[in-house]
Amino acid sequence: MENFRKVRTSEEEMPLPFPDLPPDVVEMKVKEGSKIRNLMNFAMAQMELKGRRQIVFSGCGRAVTKTITCVEIMKRKLGGLHQVTKVRYKTVLEVWESQEPPPDGPAQNLTVHKNVPSICILLSRDPLDPNQAGYQPPEHRREAGEDTAGSSPKGLKRPLPPPCEELLPKKLQVQVADSPRGSGSTAGQLDH
């Protein structure tokens, strides 16, 4: 491939994998070079100013992580959003052109079909079917000043049990034999 250069890339157009979407739903197509700030400004304006109830973020290949980042930012800013995530593969066509064309003919082209991972995430203010694959309910939002003592840490299914006394670290006495640097026996404490 060192004698070829990429001249064109095109993605296979696929319908959104969510049934019963309104025809005017906003789809945020996240690309590798997209700026998160620009994406979020537009998406937030759609949800807050224009009062949209649903929005879809989609990205493929190297844009998948950026797509997920945008969704997580929106969930934190708006709160109360239901989410459905669909992962699939998308075909990307790359056209490569020879940099050293044969002397007696046109440049040679090479077409490469790549299957790259793709993600589509639907965010909705309205409840979605919790039985469909990829569903995530809205996260519980704590109000300012709400006591967090006694609540389980984020991500844990149940609270951790209280620590047992015998499992707590103990200080150990260590006797050090005579050493050339020290004089006599030295007692030190080490934390384990």
Side-chain angles (χ1 to χ4, degrees):
M1 295 298 284
E2 62 210 29
N3 294 329
F4 287 83
R5 66 181 173 90
K6 194 185 320 184
V7 291
R8 188 172 63 249
T9 302
S10 61
E11 292 179 13
E12 165 190 41
E13 285 301 318
M14 298 173 71
L16 292 174
F18 308 108
D20 305 325
L21 281 179
D24 64 339
V25 70
V26 174
E27 181 184 4
M28 301 296 298
K29 293 183 179 182
V30 181
K31 304 289 184 194
E32 184 181 348
S34 299
K35 301 282 185 229
I36 291 176
R37 179 180 54 245
N38 296 341
L39 292 166
M40 294 312 302
N41 285 342
F42 183 81
M44 292 298 289
Q46 292 295 312
M47 293 295 279
E48 289 185 318
L49 302 176
K50 298 206 175 180
R52 304 261 184 188
R53 305 296 297 166
Q54 296 180 329
I55 192 165
V56 176
F57 284 85
S58 64
C60 71
R62 293 182 181 169
V64 167
T65 54
K66 195 172 282 194
T67 305
I68 294 168
T69 300
C70 290
V71 167
E72 292 301 320
I73 291 170
M74 178 155 275
K75 285 169 39 180
R76 302 264 182 305
K77 285 188 175 189
L78 293 181
L81 295 175
H82 296 262
Q83 175 180 335
V84 176
T85 303
K86 301 286 184 185
V87 179
R88 56 189 179 171
Y89 282 92
K90 196 176 216 180
T91 302
V92 174
L93 280 93
E94 293 179 345
V95 178
W96 295 73
E97 184 178 80
S98 174
Q99 291 181 332
E100 299 172 10
D104 57 343
Q108 293 178 330
N109 285 345
L110 180 66
T111 303
V112 178
H113 296 263
K114 284 184 173 180
N115 285 329
V116 295
S118 171
I119 193 166
C120 288
I121 303 173
L122 169 64
L123 294 176
S124 176
R125 292 182 189 272
D126 304 320
L128 299 170
D129 179 10
N131 296 322
Q132 66 179 311
Y135 174 78
Q136 292 181 36
E139 291 180 5
H140 170 68
R141 291 184 70 174
R142 283 196 272 273
E143 300 299 322
E146 183 178 322
D147 182 24
T148 58
S151 66
S152 64
K154 182 179 176 185
L156 293 178
K157 302 283 187 220
R158 58 186 175 266
L160 292 172
C164 299
E165 283 296 319
E166 51 282 353
L167 297 178
L168 293 176
K170 296 183 179 185
K171 298 201 178 214
L172 301 174
Q173 290 286 332
V174 177
Q175 293 290 331
V176 179
D178 288 340
S179 66
R181 293 184 189 178
S183 59
S185 176
T186 313
Q189 290 186 342
L190 296 178
D191 287 334
H192 249 315

